[in-house]
Amino acid sequence: MGYPAELMDLIKRVEKTRPTRVARKKAGEEFPALTLEQRKDRLEKYHPDYRAGALRELKVGPSKGYALAQEIADTFEAKSRIDPDKIDLNEVHYETDVLVIGGGGAGTAAALLAQEQGARVIIATKLRHGDANTMMAEGGIQAATKGWKDSPYYHYLDVIGGGHFENDPELVKTMVTEAPKVIAWLEKLGCMFQKWTTANCSPSTEQARAARECTMPVT
Amino acid sequence: MGCNTCTKSCPMDLPVMEYISAALRGDIEKAAELSFPCVMCGICTSRCPAELPQYHIAMLTRRLTAKYIHAQADHLKDMVQRIESGRYEEPLTQLTKTDLATLRKLYVERQMEPHTGDELWEPDDKRFL
């Protein structure tokens, strides 16, 4: 497989302890989440961004002074491949109301919404439409859609804790409030969420239902 | 055409010709299910002598299935309604103004859904649902 020897030993250790751990889980034992101190400790010891000299501050641009990984800073500060002397701005090739630069999840959503509002839109993206980080983000998408056990309130806490409490509170509030609406929008556009029905659900405080649809995002 | 060059070149080992056949006979949902793991690499299309865009056809069947064939999620409509009724406005605004120490406490002490819980698990504190 190509894993180094140390990892192979760890894999064997995980496999050896698996039956006991599965048994404990099945008996209802929950493994405690790492405390904030434990998380900080592990990050500082092992995360590449926390090494000395791993980040450097940008020298130019609207994010001047913001520290990024060396490789990303290199890209941001790189010279353009286009020679500005070769471009004649008087020669117009395309005209539009909105130009979206980057056609991943954010760019496509922005373009669709702009078009819904009546604007002419052009998306400029470096590869094909559908070749973007968004499509690779197979960890899932978070939104508090299951109202009997979840809500934007809990989502807010998850986001702000996950963000080491450094997030912009207004942005978090906006994100967790709009998230379920985004899922509904995606559903309308034809996103194939995994769905199943649960019969004989316990009634929610508002309505009793015989069957209920549950959604869970897939890849 | 049925030469199956697409099926043979698929890096995800998908039954490409099978989902195309399903689409041809109008079984959109079947085509969507069979093509679901498609990574949109486009090798099928690049090799097809009949110039079919298999991966685009597949994506269309998935969108059609999800939009028209699968049922819409009721609980999702519920949640959108709850949000638009303004129910979470007050508690969320409170959170944006909460001090760091209290936020940390709320975060660490929040009740989380157990991994072994089933879909119908409910938290003890229902104030913020």
Side-chain angles (χ1 to χ4, degrees):
Chain A
M1 211 347 353
Y3 289 135
E6 309 85 51
L7 265 186
M8 290 307 299
D9 288 337
L10 286 175
I11 290 173
K12 288 202 185 74
R13 211 198 304 175
V14 167
E15 286 171 352
K16 216 170 71 167
T17 59
R18 183 166 290 137
T20 347
R21 285 183 288 112
V22 168
R24 286 164 79 183
K25 251 296 162 73
K26 288 202 166 135
E29 184 177 331
E30 278 298 312
F31 291 94
L34 292 177
T35 64
L36 294 175
E37 292 71 33
Q38 284 173 318
R39 290 182 205 185
K40 184 162 174 287
D41 181 58
R42 275 159 180 73
L43 283 174
E44 284 174 0
K45 277 212 192 94
Y46 302 113
H47 195 290
D49 279 355
Y50 287 72
R51 288 171 309 187
L55 309 179
R56 82 159 185 270
E57 293 180 5
L58 290 175
K59 296 197 209 76
V60 288
S63 298
K64 180 172 165 179
Y66 187 71
L68 286 176
Q70 300 281 353
E71 298 85 350
I72 302 180
D74 285 342
T75 309
F76 272 48
E77 291 173 341
K79 298 248 191 303
S80 171
R81 295 170 73 176
I82 298 173
D83 181 353
D85 293 331
K86 293 212 173 92
I87 298 179
D88 176 12
L89 288 177
N90 294 314
E91 202 187 314
V92 175
H93 295 157
Y94 296 100
E95 221 182 270
T96 184
D97 298 326
V98 175
L99 172 64
V100 177
I101 302 182
T108 308
L112 283 172
L113 291 171
Q115 193 189 49
E116 265 176 43
Q117 301 292 315
R120 286 174 305 166
V121 185
I122 293 183
I123 301 180
T125 194
K126 63 176 166 287
L127 301 170
R128 301 173 303 170
H129 187 247
D131 291 336
N133 283 336
T134 301
M135 274 48 86
M136 306 305 284
E138 300 188 358
I141 182 173
Q142 279 90 44
T145 56
K146 299 186 182 175
W148 65 95
K149 58 176 169 178
D150 196 8
S151 84
Y153 178 89
Y154 294 108
H155 192 185
Y156 187 103
L157 288 177
D158 284 338
V159 173
I160 209 135
H164 305 261
F165 306 96
E166 289 177 27
N167 324 50
D168 177 338
E170 279 303 319
L171 270 181
V172 180
K173 176 164 171 262
T174 304
M175 188 183 97
V176 304
T177 312
E178 298 295 303
K181 297 189 213 167
V182 168
I183 304 287
W185 182 65
L186 288 172
E187 189 192 36
K188 233 175 35 139
L189 287 173
C191 183
M192 208 162 141
F193 288 110
Q194 188 177 47
K195 294 177 177 176
W196 62 89
T197 53
T198 52
N200 308 316
C201 279
S202 63
S204 67
T205 49
E206 262 114 56
Q207 306 131 300
R209 282 217 186 89
R212 180 191 270 151
E213 286 261 5
C214 299
T215 59
M216 207 181 76
V218 258
T219 50
Chain B
M1 217 174 100
C3 71
N4 271 295
T5 302
C6 52
T7 311
K8 290 192 195 130
S9 15
C10 178
M12 295 295 290
D13 291 335
L14 295 177
V16 184
M17 211 48 229
E18 203 185 321
Y19 76 62
I20 293 292
S21 305
L24 278 171
R25 46 170 202 270
D27 195 345
I28 308 286
E29 195 176 356
K30 181 123 198 101
E33 277 164 32
L34 289 173
S35 67
F36 193 81
C38 171
V39 292
M40 305 294 286
C41 69
I43 293 179
C44 49
T45 300
S46 69
R47 308 305 291 159
C48 178
E51 295 189 10
L52 285 177
Q54 286 89 338
Y55 70 133
H56 285 147
I57 295 169
M59 178 175 259
L60 178 61
T61 63
R62 294 196 296 274
R63 298 289 166 264
L64 291 174
T65 302
K67 191 171 166 68
Y68 297 110
I69 300 177
H70 284 172
Q72 303 279 294
D74 287 332
H75 74 281
L76 181 56
K77 291 200 181 70
D78 275 355
M79 178 52 88
V80 172
Q81 264 175 347
R82 280 159 119 133
I83 292 175
E84 287 179 343
S85 74
R87 182 197 189 92
Y88 305 109
E89 189 58 37
E90 172 59 44
L92 284 175
T93 307
Q94 273 305 309
L95 282 176
T96 62
K97 302 204 186 95
T98 306
D99 62 284
L100 186 51
T102 314
L103 266 182
R104 288 190 118 95
K105 192 161 169 298
L106 283 174
Y107 174 69
V108 169
E109 290 173 6
R110 78 199 189 291
Q111 189 183 16
M112 287 188 278
E113 183 175 355
H115 288 123
T116 44
D118 60 40
E119 202 53 56
L120 305 176
W121 172 87
E122 291 181 18
D124 300 323
D125 181 353
K126 303 201 201 310
R127 279 176 303 155
F128 303 110
L129 291 181

